[in-house]
Amino acid sequence: MHAQWGKLSAAALLLAGCSVSVVPDNQSTTANTSEPAVPAQWTKDTRAQLRQAIDARAVHGLDQMSFASDASDEAGITKQALAYASALAHGATDPTKLYDVYTVPRPNPDLRAGLATALVANNVKGWLASLAPADQNYQRLSKAYLALRQQPGSPTPAIPVNGEAIKPGATDPRIATIARELVILDYLDQGAAQGDRYTPAMVKAVQEMQADYGMKPDGVIGSAALAILNMSDIDRARAVAIAMERLRWLERTPPATRIDVNLAAARLTYWRDGKIVDSRKVVVGEPDRETPQLGSPIFRLVANPTWTIPRSIEGETAAKGAAYLKANNIARKDGWLVQQPGPKNSLGLVKFDMLNDQAIYLHDTPAKQLFGMVQRQRSHGCVRVDDALGFAEILARDEGMTDQWHQARGMGKETFVKLPKQIPVRMLYQTVLFDDAGEPIARNDPYGWDDRVGAALGFKAGKALRVETRASDEGP
């Protein structure tokens, strides 16, 4: 299957109630459902529909979990039905328990009322099918998962590891597969590979990848480099199942105008009236200072922002000495170190103010070189936007406030421009994207966040290869 997976398109870089505890096959299932019972009775037909739906749960990537009930009475069957319905409706796992911060809006249907209606209509199967996401991306993931699960259950990697390192200029039958994986990870342009020869373009791509992962960038493809590039069908199936679970966490009809940031891919997508109108690179939090998964709106643009340096990194800034502070226009004000507006300001020339308790926002940056990196998990937690002034211009135009924005920019001092309508922003984490042909592509997991979801879904731990922590400045 993965032989078909190719170059990514910009538009494909994002995947567009009570939680029930459901556990892997070798454990018992306990649902956090409570009385009163669903006011309808189960029949032989509706029980069969429920069993058939659960037996087919691989279509949702849930086949590593058991939804069996040890009871055959009405209450036990209802409990089983609500457990499976909950998994489809808003996920078999609870992201607010898996992560310290998760505030992205989630679906919360009334499952008890829905089950009661389904029982009366003798359509439990149809009701359950209606709960999962129905969009094209979810269907593609489902198809890919089923195909991967039908492969032989061997964890054999796609690229053989035979102990022989591949040196620049060598020929090796593994080169074509290695080139494809480098394309998937954005290190190599499509078509740069030349048969079985390890070309200079590929060497440069491998060296960049090695540097990102803290290896010696010698361009030699040994076991460490292959560990990043190799992914078995079992690994891919796990990644696809996790991607489906993350889609089930999301509301089925998100705001038609919104900004989605994929933290795993470090890319922003701007939706306007249900259509993608802009997609660009961003820099997000480095490992151990991860940008949280937030649902938080932009409520104003800030021209020529000042930056109040947070206590968490104030020490490393102050330690650079008085000459550095003066050169970068940083002075102490009311007990805080504050950087004044200007081209050296760590927020750049525009800040996109957001409403959240974590002090996370989008902003410009003078560190433009970071956007040239493939792995862009390099900030202290906020989201830096490539050509942020250009993006602010787009938002100001779309909100009918271009004149106000230009006037604010011309002031030369910090000036706030309130948006007429708040623009929702979702900070998401998706490690499976889509190529130009619509095929799912499993990418790397820079924060190692897939493991906790995969384990909760009943999968064995995968490989989370983190990029090396090396933020280049003290900016947010």
Side-chain angles (χ1 to χ4, degrees):
M1 158 167 283
H2 45 270
Q4 305 173 17
W5 297 2
K7 183 89 173 153
L8 297 174
S9 65
L13 284 165
L14 273 176
L15 299 179
C18 65
S19 178
V20 179
S21 174
V22 190
V23 294
D25 278 331
N26 60 349
Q27 301 179 38
S28 63
T29 301
T30 302
N32 295 326
T33 54
S34 57
E35 298 300 333
V38 173
Q41 291 187 345
W42 288 88
T43 65
K44 182 178 180 180
D45 188 22
T46 53
R47 291 186 188 195
Q49 290 180 43
L50 174 61
R51 186 68 262 162
Q52 290 169 7
I54 293 177
D55 287 346
R57 64 191 180 280
V59 75
H60 301 289
L62 293 171
D63 52 319
Q64 302 301 303
M65 308 183 77
S66 173
F67 295 86
S69 171
D70 57 4
S72 59
D73 60 7
E74 293 274 321
I77 297 172
T78 295
K79 186 177 180 180
Q80 178 188 30
L82 290 173
Y84 188 55
S86 177
L88 298 178
H90 42 67
T93 61
D94 184 347
T96 65
K97 295 179 180 178
L98 292 175
Y99 301 100
D100 292 337
V101 177
Y102 190 96
T103 64
V104 180
R106 301 182 64 202
N108 187 26
D110 188 338
L111 297 179
R112 288 186 169 275
L115 177 56
T117 301
L119 288 171
V120 171
N122 193 35
N123 190 23
V124 170
K125 181 179 179 181
W127 171 66
L128 289 170
S130 73
L131 297 175
D135 61 275
Q136 189 176 46
N137 283 345
Y138 191 85
Q139 300 304 319
R140 287 169 172 168
L141 290 170
S142 175
K143 181 180 177 181
Y145 182 78
L146 292 175
L148 287 165
R149 294 299 292 172
Q150 290 172 1
Q151 302 294 329
S154 170
T156 303
I159 308 169
V161 182
N162 56 19
E164 297 181 9
I166 306 173
K167 297 180 179 180
T171 57
D172 192 286
R174 297 173 288 178
I175 287 295
T177 306
I178 290 171
R180 184 175 66 246
E181 295 301 321
L182 288 169
V183 169
I184 287 173
L185 293 177
D186 276 349
Y187 286 104
L188 187 67
D189 290 334
Q190 185 83 26
Q194 298 177 8
D196 291 343
R197 182 171 173 266
Y198 187 18
T199 65
M202 285 187 65
V203 173
K204 183 179 178 181
V206 169
Q207 288 173 328
E208 186 176 0
M209 181 189 75
Q210 288 172 323
D212 280 345
Y213 287 90
M215 304 175 192
K216 181 181 178 181
D218 56 11
V220 176
I221 305 175
S223 58
L226 288 178
I228 299 170
L229 296 168
N230 250 335
M231 185 174 283
S232 68
D233 283 343
I234 289 178
D235 292 330
R236 296 180 197 277
R238 170 182 173 273
V240 169
I242 292 167
M244 282 193 281
E245 174 71 356
R246 286 195 167 111
L247 287 184
R248 289 191 291 266
W249 292 346
L250 302 178
E251 55 189 344
R252 301 298 183 257
T253 308
T257 295
R258 67 184 186 276
I259 295 168
D260 286 343
V261 177
N262 186 341
L263 304 175
R267 192 149 191 119
L268 171 154
T269 302
Y270 172 40
W271 296 76
R272 190 81 189 182
D273 299 325
K275 297 180 179 179
I276 295 176
V277 296
D278 189 75
S279 180
R280 60 186 63 215
K281 296 177 181 179
V282 295
V283 173
V284 299
E286 63 187 359
D288 299 324
R289 290 182 176 178
E290 299 96 338
T291 304
Q293 297 168 90
L294 299 176
S296 173
I298 293 173
F299 70 99
R300 68 183 178 188
L301 304 180
V302 184
N304 313 304
T306 61
W307 179 43
T308 300
I309 298 173
R311 300 295 191 199
S312 60
I313 59 175
E314 183 182 85
E316 64 185 270
T317 303
K320 295 182 178 181
Y324 173 86
L325 298 180
K326 183 177 180 180
N328 287 276
N329 206 14
I330 300 173
R332 194 164 292 279
K333 181 180 180 181
D334 299 328
W336 295 82
L337 284 179
V338 179
Q339 188 176 33
Q340 296 305 308
K344 292 184 178 180
N345 188 285
S346 291
L347 300 184
L349 298 175
V350 57
K351 174 185 177 185
F352 305 81
D353 253 344
M354 298 169 62
L355 295 172
N356 59 73
D357 296 331
Q358 284 72 36
I360 297 295
Y361 45 84
L362 278 61
H363 65 92
D364 188 15
T365 178
K368 308 297 186 186
Q369 73 279 3
L370 296 180
F371 296 111
M373 293 182 170
V374 174
Q375 302 296 335
R376 295 185 296 279
Q377 289 74 28
R378 307 290 182 186
S379 81
H380 283 94
C382 285
V383 178
R384 308 178 188 188
V385 180
D386 191 16
D387 184 20
L389 282 176
F391 188 55
E393 191 77 15
I394 292 172
L395 296 187
R397 178 202 66 200
D398 289 350
E399 294 298 323
M401 46 184 293
T402 300
D403 291 343
Q404 298 97 306
W405 174 240
H406 289 172
Q407 183 179 2
R409 282 203 60 203
M411 297 290 287
K413 62 180 182 179
E414 186 172 60
T415 306
F416 303 98
V417 181
K418 186 177 180 181
L419 297 177
K421 293 178 294 184
Q422 295 180 359
I423 300 176
V425 179
R426 302 189 303 177
M427 306 285 189
L428 307 174
Y429 191 84
Q430 277 289 13
T431 58
V432 175
L433 312 177
F434 293 97
D435 66 11
D436 290 335
E439 288 291 323
I441 293 176
R443 299 256 300 207
N444 57 331
D445 177 15
Y447 288 170
W449 280 357
D450 275 4
D451 277 352
R452 62 190 74 177
V453 183
L457 292 177
F459 290 89
K460 294 181 179 179
K463 55 178 185 180
L465 296 163
R466 289 181 157 203
V467 297
E468 185 181 59
T469 300
R470 50 189 172 100
S472 65
D473 55 47
E474 76 273 17

